[in-house]
Amino acid sequence: MKSIQILPAVLLLPALVHAQTKYTVKGKVGKHNEPVKSYLVYTVDGDQKRDSAFLKNGEFSFSGTVPGITKATILFSYGPDAPRSSNEQLKIYLEPGTVTIKSADSLKNASVKGGIHTNDQVALDALLKPVGERNKALMARYYASSQEQKKDSVWMSAIMAESKQINDDEEAILKKFAESHTKSAAGLEALKAMAGSVPDYATIQPMFAKLAPAVQSSPDGKAYAEMLEKVKAVSIGAIAPDFTQNDPEGNPIALSSFRGKYVLIDFWASWCGPCRAENPHVVKAYNEYKDKNFTILGVSLDQPTAKDKWLKAIADDGLTWPQVSDLKFWKNEAAALYAVRAIPQNFLLDPQGKIIAKNLRGDALAAKLAEVIK
């Protein structure tokens, strides 16, 4: 009986593997003609795809197939002589059926209708628009301020408090949307935005698990699930995955070679302003604890042609601890292993190689070392 039950599922596998989603996008924006041009941009298996079409009396269209529900962007260019600010874009999903885009004048004023995924994305964008405008106004106020104001701790505290409130409000919107739109890819998009570049596995994984199977199995869903598994592998309490990369002289250094010491894995790069600003704090902590069974392994995300900049930054910032890199930029293999999607990031390991803290900034690193190193 088991063989009879299994056989149909096996026969269905090729159809599932090769399943394609047919999509159609149709638009009517004003009465524009060439050189106004529309673009459809999306990603399949890590490769960016781009289609384009000139407008004819405001009309444009795209159609094709993609491997599952796929996030896409529609962009408009009003021609080589148009100001850069006139280029516009909006987010949609390539899904079964037709997505329609209509406007009397421009893409930024367009109404968008499609299937559940696109319609929910439109709803999410509308919910986020007010907080986006608040943040834009705050940034404009900050950049328009005088140097005296920026040196005023009371004024800066008020700016930071307002910024935090905007971020908190945005996170609340994203969380509520993700929890109430589990059947659409826009719900996944809200969850990803809420999680940010350094997701907390304990918080995000249970929410991801509540998404509909079709959303989890979409190309975007599968990619995010894989990323979450990497995050789990480097969560606090996990044994840090081992890796080996070369130092500036070409000598291989393995993370496991530091077993028996407290180790800070510090992901950074010479081109990263926040990393360079953080380095004085790291140097201070290193100098205080380097003789107390503590060391640092710096992992640089510098580019293939920028070894000289990496070396100069090491010297300029006084980074006297071991440094390694494969000079693969964002494709650094150690960074991929640790699900690093933003820098600076760091991981503090105990002498047994267990991760005991993450992303210690400023004085927090020295405070944590004082706590654990007796």
Side-chain angles (χ1 to χ4, degrees), residues 241-291:
D242 194 19
F243 63 87
T244 300
Q245 289 192 3
N246 290 347
D247 68 11
E249 288 72 42
N251 303 310
I253 297 180
L255 172 64
S256 55
S257 67
F258 298 100
R259 190 63 62 88
K261 290 186 175 184
Y262 287 93
V263 182
L264 184 77
I265 309 173
D266 184 36
F267 290 94
W268 72 293
S270 66
W271 49 262
C272 169
C275 302
R276 305 294 295 275
E278 184 66 27
N279 277 343
H281 298 286
V282 184
V283 169
K284 181 181 177 182
Y286 177 73
N287 289 334
E288 185 175 354
Y289 289 94
K290 65 181 180 180
D291 297 323

Side-chain angles (χ1 to χ4, degrees), residues 26 90 100-104 106-113 122:
K26 291 185 177 182
L90 58 81
T100 59
I101 301 167
K102 294 182 179 180
S103 173
S106 61
L107 190 64
K108 68 179 180 180
N109 295 323
S111 63
V112 182
K113 292 184 179 180
V122 171

Side-chain angles (χ1 to χ4, degrees), residues 268-276 300-303 306 309-310 313 329-330 342-343:
W268 72 293
S270 66
W271 49 262
C272 169
C275 302
R276 305 294 295 275
S300 168
L301 274 65
D302 272 282
Q303 302 187 49
K309 294 180 180 178
W310 173 39
F329 198 31
W330 282 112
I343 52 176

Side-chain angles (χ1 to χ4, degrees), residues 319-369:
L319 312 183
T320 56
W321 51 85
Q323 295 284 340
V324 298
S325 181
D326 57 14
L327 296 174
K328 293 182 179 179
F329 198 31
W330 282 112
K331 293 183 179 180
N332 182 289
E333 293 179 9
L337 184 64
Y338 279 71
V340 172
R341 301 188 299 162
I343 52 176
Q345 274 200 64
N346 59 46
F347 298 79
L348 181 62
L349 281 52
D350 71 7
Q352 289 73 48
K354 183 172 69 175
I355 299 171
I356 57 174
K358 297 168 65 173
N359 299 318
L360 299 166
R361 298 280 179 268
D363 295 333
L365 173 58
K368 185 64 179 180
L369 293 174

